[in-house]
């Protein structure tokens, strides 16, 4: 009677990453290994098992039937291991003391970072490891406990909590704002405008002026946009939340006019894998984020 091949555990992390990403290079980056190291581990795994797990398609790869069957078993085993580690932690009386979180650079720079000293003072025993990324990632496969995201949501397979809705408003440095006090919409349109041309056109139409806008500068990061406005480069159409601290301490002033309601991007969310739902440290972080955001909203409302 034939026996099943012995499972080579040392190669399973590489297999799992390649199977999930369907890309050896991306898997190597996630595992912090070289492309050749991951390729060698996959070849060694297939050699030890005695059959192929992937089909080579052009320059890419994809799981074959055997690979798909193995992936399903590996994912179940990974989930069981994770539950076992959590049970061991609970039995030992220890708890999660470090949280890996990710958000966009603009959110980190303009809102989160100025408040982290408050988190540290309230929770000195829980460290945060913050990674800023523009792309949406798979939290579980890349080792993150929580993400702060912007958009409509929800994100399948994740617990989703709405953190805040944030409109886009027109802001400028105080000196420029004073020069434009009482100015017409056409005068404003003739200024050095900062931000997205289409959004500016929508804002002027909403305010009552039909015109085509050609901004003096645009940015792929909202934090840079707000910083340019602070430095007097021009008038910005920017996310209210990212302007919050600058508005409160006088580095920026809001100009008269409507707020631009862009439904696809106005919400900020907390998202995390369901496996972490009962983690006390994660609950503390979520509660702290909600409380800090509520305070920001309260103080911004006081400016109106």
């Amino acid at each position: 009677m034939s026996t099943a091949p012995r499972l080579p555990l040392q190669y399973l992390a590489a297999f799992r990453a390649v199977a999930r990403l369907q890309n050896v290079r991306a898997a190597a980056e996630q595992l912090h290994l070289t492309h050749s190291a991951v390729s060698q581990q996959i070849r060694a795994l297939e050699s030890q098992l005695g059959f192929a797990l992937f089909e080579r398609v052009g320059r890419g790869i994809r799981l074959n039937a055997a690979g798909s069957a193995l992936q399903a078993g590996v994912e179940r085993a990974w989930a069981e291991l994770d539950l076992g580690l959590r049970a061991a932690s609970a039995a030992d009386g220890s708890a999660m003391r470090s949280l890996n979180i990710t958000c966009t650079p603009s959110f980190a720079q303009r809102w989160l970072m100025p408040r982290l000293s408050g988190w540290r003072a309230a929770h000195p025993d829980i460290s945060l490891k913050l990674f800023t990324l523009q792309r949406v990632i798979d939290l579980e496969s890349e080792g993150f406990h929580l993400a702060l995201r912007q958009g409509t949501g929800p994100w399948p397979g994740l617990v989703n909590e709405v953190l805040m809705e944030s409109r886009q408003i027109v802001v400028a440095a105080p000196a420029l704002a004073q020069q434009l006090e009482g100015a017409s919409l056409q005068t404003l349109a003739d200024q050095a405008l900062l931000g997205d041309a289409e959004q500016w056109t929508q804002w002027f139409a909403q305010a009552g002026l039909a015109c085509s806008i050609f901004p003096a500068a645009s940015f792929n990061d909202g934090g840079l946009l707000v910083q340019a406005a602070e430095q007097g480069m021009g008038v910005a159409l920017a996310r209210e939340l990212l302007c919050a601290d600058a508005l409160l301490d006088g580095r920026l002033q809001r100009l008269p006019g409507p707020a631009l309601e862009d439904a696809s991007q106005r919400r900020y969310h907390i998202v995390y894998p369901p496996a972490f739902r009962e983690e006390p440290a994660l609950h503390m972080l979520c509660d702290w984020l909600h409380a800090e955001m509520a305070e920001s909203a309260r103080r911004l409302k006081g400016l109106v």
Side-chain angles (χ1 to χ4, degrees):
M1 182 177 66
S2 62
T3 59
R6 183 180 177 185
L7 188 62
L9 297 176
Q10 68 270 31
Y11 303 133
L12 291 187
F15 167 75
R16 183 171 180 257
V18 175
R20 281 186 163 211
L21 299 171
Q22 302 284 289
N23 184 287
V24 175
R25 190 169 302 281
E29 291 177 359
Q30 180 179 305
L31 296 169
H32 304 292
L33 297 173
T34 64
H35 181 281
S36 61
V38 173
S39 295
Q40 288 171 9
Q41 290 191 33
I42 296 300
R43 287 196 297 269
L45 175 61
E46 291 178 324
S47 175
Q48 190 161 339
L49 292 175
F51 48 81
L53 299 169
F54 296 91
E55 297 175 356
R56 275 64 183 179
V57 182
R59 294 185 177 181
I61 62 171
R62 67 185 178 199
L63 287 166
N64 61 20
S68 295
L70 180 59
Q71 183 192 30
V74 166
E75 292 296 346
R76 287 195 298 271
W78 229 264
E80 287 296 323
L81 284 170
D82 186 64
L83 288 173
L85 288 171
R86 294 181 192 287
S89 177
D92 183 60
S94 59
M96 185 183 290
R97 286 292 176 260
S98 179
L99 295 171
N100 296 337
I101 66 174
T102 179
C103 64
T104 61
S106 59
F107 186 89
Q109 174 197 2
R110 303 298 311 191
W111 190 85
L112 183 58
M113 288 295 293
R115 291 163 175 79
L116 285 183
S117 60
W119 164 264
R120 181 64 181 166
H123 303 283
D125 58 335
I126 303 174
S127 68
L128 300 182
K129 297 180 181 179
L130 175 62
F131 298 79
T132 59
L133 299 167
Q134 292 283 15
R135 62 188 175 92
V136 174
I137 62 171
D138 184 319
L139 296 183
E140 288 186 281
S141 68
E142 300 204 30
F144 286 95
H145 301 108
L146 178 146
L148 295 154
R149 292 181 179 171
Q150 183 183 356
T152 54
W155 289 269
L158 296 174
V159 179
N160 182 93
E161 300 179 12
V162 176
L163 186 58
M164 186 182 186
E165 298 203 5
S166 183
R167 311 164 300 170
Q168 296 206 73
I169 60 173
V170 177
V171 297
L176 181 54
Q178 290 170 15
Q179 292 176 23
L180 293 172
E181 187 173 353
S184 67
L185 285 173
Q186 186 59 61
T187 299
L188 180 59
D190 292 336
Q191 299 299 307
L193 301 180
L194 309 175
D196 181 79
E198 182 178 347
Q199 291 176 347
W200 265 117
T201 299
Q202 292 174 4
W203 184 88
F204 276 104
Q206 192 172 317
L209 178 66
C211 60
S212 295
I213 298 299
F214 303 95
S218 59
F219 306 85
N220 72 337
D221 179 87
L224 294 177
L225 170 63
V226 176
Q227 184 177 350
E230 285 179 339
Q231 294 175 354
M233 185 175 175
V235 180
L237 180 60
R239 190 72 49 191
E240 185 177 28
L241 179 63
L242 302 183
C243 300
D245 291 345
L247 290 167
L248 291 167
D249 64 22
R251 285 175 285 136
L252 287 176
Q253 290 183 17
R254 180 176 176 180
L255 275 61
L260 183 62
E261 304 281 357
D262 54 339
S264 66
Q265 291 294 312
R266 72 185 183 209
R267 285 183 175 176
Y268 287 87
H269 307 252
I270 300 170
V271 296
Y272 52 88
F276 301 136
R277 193 191 300 267
E278 302 304 323
E279 289 289 352
L282 188 136
H283 274 292
M284 292 177 193
L285 179 58
C286 289
D287 289 346
W288 178 81
L289 287 167
H290 281 295
E292 290 292 326
M293 193 62 77
E295 177 63 13
S296 286
R298 184 191 68 78
R299 295 184 67 198
L300 282 172
K301 189 176 181 180
L303 292 176
V304 179

